[in-house]
Amino acid sequence: MTASIEMPRVQECTVASCAYNRTNDCHAFAITVGSSDHAHCHTFVEMPVRGGIEQLIAQVGACSRSDCRHNSELECHAPAITVAPDQDMADCVTYQPQTV
């Protein structure tokens, strides 16, 4: 049997151009974070239509930034995260490198 954990919520997303964003809330079911060089939100998509489930606030489904202090076994353990614009992408600004 596998125990499930409570996934952290996307507390705020200020990437207004994302199709899942409505009034600074992300309405995707879950997002994926991480790249080798940044904590990008890989669920970010620019489209003229809005998607997601209006009654839902997104959760962090997976994070491949294993060097983040909130990451354990590729799962985010922050209480909540914030996503913000970064050039032409969206980044998890809750990302903090692990201290040695």
Side-chain angles (χ1 to χ4, degrees):
M1 180 187 292
T2 304
S4 66
I5 61 170
E6 181 76 19
M7 296 188 303
R9 301 273 182 215
V10 178
Q11 180 175 321
E12 180 181 32
C13 177
T14 59
V15 186
S17 62
C18 182
Y20 289 106
N21 188 320
R22 293 190 187 113
T23 63
N24 288 344
D25 288 326
C26 179
H27 294 278
F29 183 76
I31 69 166
T32 299
V33 174
S35 289
S36 60
D37 60 340
H38 282 86
H40 292 306
C41 174
H42 286 287
T43 311
F44 168 73
V45 61
E46 284 186 283
M47 294 181 73
V49 297
R50 293 291 171 200
I53 302 168
E54 191 170 346
Q55 299 82 2
L56 213 64
I57 300 297
Q59 305 172 80
V60 181
C63 178
S64 61
R65 287 307 304 246
S66 60
D67 63 334
C68 179
R69 66 175 273 180
H70 301 292
N71 191 317
S72 175
E73 299 177 332
L74 302 179
E75 299 290 339
C76 181
H77 292 273
I81 71 159
T82 299
V83 176
D86 177 51
Q87 297 172 6
D88 62 344
M89 300 289 287
D91 275 7
C92 172
V93 295
T94 306
Y95 166 82
Q96 294 178 358
Q98 292 179 0
T99 55
V100 180

